[in-house]
DNA sequence: TTTTTCATTGACTTGATATTCAATCAAAAA
DNA sequence: TTTTTGATTGAATATCAAGTCAATGAAAAA
């Protein structure tokens, strides 16, 4: 008779991913509010009706992307803390991962996160997530790393929270710069870490 | 008979400013596309009809704000270059001005600029401005300052453009952080300038 | 008090887009 | 080839907000 359940599942997985990728680009470029379902559909190369076969609403799509971004950032920090080496070396590894990410398609996810953080025009569920502990989990999760680095003297003696804000501000800012100016000269990890290091070489 | 032309002019000036201030807040919080005229009107405490008495459209309002922001940033750089002292001292002065601005209402203007730079859902005229030389005028205008600082050895020997990107990324990032987290610990100017300095005094 | 001139209001029109759903299509097994 | 199932489509609907405009209000001079 028709396709097996297995085949259908595969089609569905592919379509869902295809739609999410398209939504990511469109949301990043136009913002959640200005993004039209028809934009997303045509970016994905299918009809707008099909989008609703896979997602309940525009809000659900956006929320899904925010969750993915949050998971991703949590993962990077987790891996960083599993790396061998001093706290500063772990931070360097993490920074390299992030910069590499920003250089590619990853910058879109940063824009989504920035929208989630700064815009009121975002689904209620996203606002909730941003208010909850999740919101600053990246900063919070990085604090132990910074504090450990201060112990070893590799990192500047200053309020760790302030340092974390400085660090993530720079990262976010770089993601934005990368998007506004495709060929902007990007710094390397050690350049970024100058805001944290006790005694930058050079 | 009725009011003098002078009186009317004053009323008009006040209203226009009042509406622009309201629009600034609403645009910053919700984004140009999601901002409703009725939001702006009620934020300003007047009817939506009146908004159209003063501005042709939502787009015109947004464009006006972007122009203001561009003028403002050009001014700060100009003033900085007129300050007494070494290039680094001029940069410090400029950074202090900017940080002070971000701490107050100024952060809203940064969000507007970020939207102007990164979003497609923006009036055509704004896109034009961003493409034209204006776009990176802040970076371009800062290059001479950085190069002069490299001459004196105060500033890191590296691609000046890369350094400028680093610096403005950090500034933009801080503006965002300030908005997402009202009480986030903010660094001082010297902390920010660590990304540029040849030898940070730790 | 009356008159004139604008600022101001809000009901109304218009256009756009999110969302729904009945109809169609396509693959595979019989 | 026929049948079945679920993916896929796009016309139709509902909603919502931008922008218009005729009517109102308020101040000041006569």
């Amino acid at each position: 008779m028709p396709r097996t359940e297995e085949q259908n599942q595969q089609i569905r997985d592919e379509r869902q991913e295809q739609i999410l990728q398209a939504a990511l680009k469109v949301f990043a470029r136009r913002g959640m509010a200005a993004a039209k379902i028809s934009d997303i559909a045509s970016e994905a190369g299918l009809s707008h009706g099909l989008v609703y076969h896979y997602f309940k609403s525009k809000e659900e799509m956006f929320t899904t992307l925010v969750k993915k971004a949050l998971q991703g950032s949590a993962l990077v920090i987790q891996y960083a803390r599993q790396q061998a080496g001093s706290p500063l070396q772990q931070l360097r590894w993490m920074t390299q991962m992030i910069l590499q990410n920003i250089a590619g398609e990853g910058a879109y996810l940063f824009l989504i996160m920035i929208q989630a953080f700064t815009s009121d025009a975002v689904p209620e569920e996203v606002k909730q997530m941003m208010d909850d502990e999740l919101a600053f989990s990246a900063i919070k999760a990085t604090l132990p790393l910074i504090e450990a680095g201060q112990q070893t003297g590799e990192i500047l003696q200053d309020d760790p929270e302030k340092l974390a804000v400085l660090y993530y501000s720079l990262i976010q800012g770089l993601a934005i710069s990368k998007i506004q100016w495709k060929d902007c000269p990007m710094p390397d990890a050690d350049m970024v870490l100058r805001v944290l290091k006790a005694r930058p070489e050079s």
Side-chain angles (χ1 to χ4, degrees), chain A:
Chain A
M1 304 184 162
R3 303 181 196 87
T4 67
E5 175 52 29
E6 188 178 63
Q7 286 171 316
N8 278 322
Q9 189 59 48
Q10 187 182 342
I11 291 180
R12 285 199 293 268
D13 290 347
E14 272 172 22
R15 287 286 166 281
Q16 177 142 347
E17 190 53 31
Q18 181 183 357
I19 292 172
L20 271 184
Q21 285 307 313
L24 174 60
K25 281 191 188 173
V26 177
F27 281 142
R29 292 204 180 295
R30 303 195 52 88
M32 149 97 190
K36 290 180 275 190
I37 293 291
S38 62
D39 292 338
I40 296 173
S42 65
E43 173 78 31
L46 32 75
S47 72
H48 69 270
L50 194 56
V51 173
Y52 283 96
H53 189 66
Y54 288 98
F55 294 91
K56 195 157 53 60
S57 64
K58 197 163 76 158
E59 298 207 340
E60 191 185 82
M61 264 185 280
F62 190 83
T63 305
T64 303
L65 287 170
V66 170
K67 282 178 184 166
K68 275 198 164 190
L70 283 175
Q71 281 172 5
S73 73
L75 263 187
V76 180
I77 300 176
Q78 190 188 318
Y79 285 156
R81 298 183 65 173
Q82 290 167 357
Q83 294 295 307
S86 70
L88 181 61
Q89 284 172 322
Q90 293 178 333
L91 278 169
R92 181 179 295 117
W93 183 89
M94 183 169 90
T95 308
Q96 282 166 343
M97 287 298 118
I98 294 175
L99 287 179
Q100 196 173 310
N101 204 243
I102 289 178
E105 301 277 281
Y108 290 124
L109 275 180
F110 273 89
L111 262 207
I112 297 290
M113 284 305 298
I114 290 173
Q115 287 178 32
F117 273 125
T118 61
S119 174
D120 275 1
V122 123
E124 201 51 45
E125 191 183 349
V126 170
K127 285 193 208 171
Q128 296 283 310
M129 286 193 280
M130 299 299 119
D131 287 344
D132 295 355
E133 5 81 68
L134 276 171
F136 305 107
S137 65
I139 285 189
K140 284 209 185 109
T142 311
L143 286 182
L145 224 46
I146 290 179
E147 281 158 1
Q150 289 177 327
Q151 291 289 323
T152 67
E154 293 172 311
I155 289 192
L156 201 59
Q157 301 299 329
D158 201 326
D159 173 18
E161 216 169 42
K162 197 200 285 181
L163 291 175
V165 167
L166 204 61
Y167 175 78
Y168 280 107
S169 294
L170 181 46
I171 295 287
Q172 280 191 327
L174 285 171
I176 291 177
S177 295
K178 181 67 188 177
I179 286 185
Q180 29 181 259
W181 185 11
K182 198 172 168 308
D183 295 320
C184 80
M186 290 294 276
D188 58 27
D190 279 300
M191 203 115 194
V192 170
L193 288 174
R194 296 182 101 245
V195 296
L196 298 184
K197 282 186 193 171
R199 19 178 171 53
E201 69 303 323
S202 103

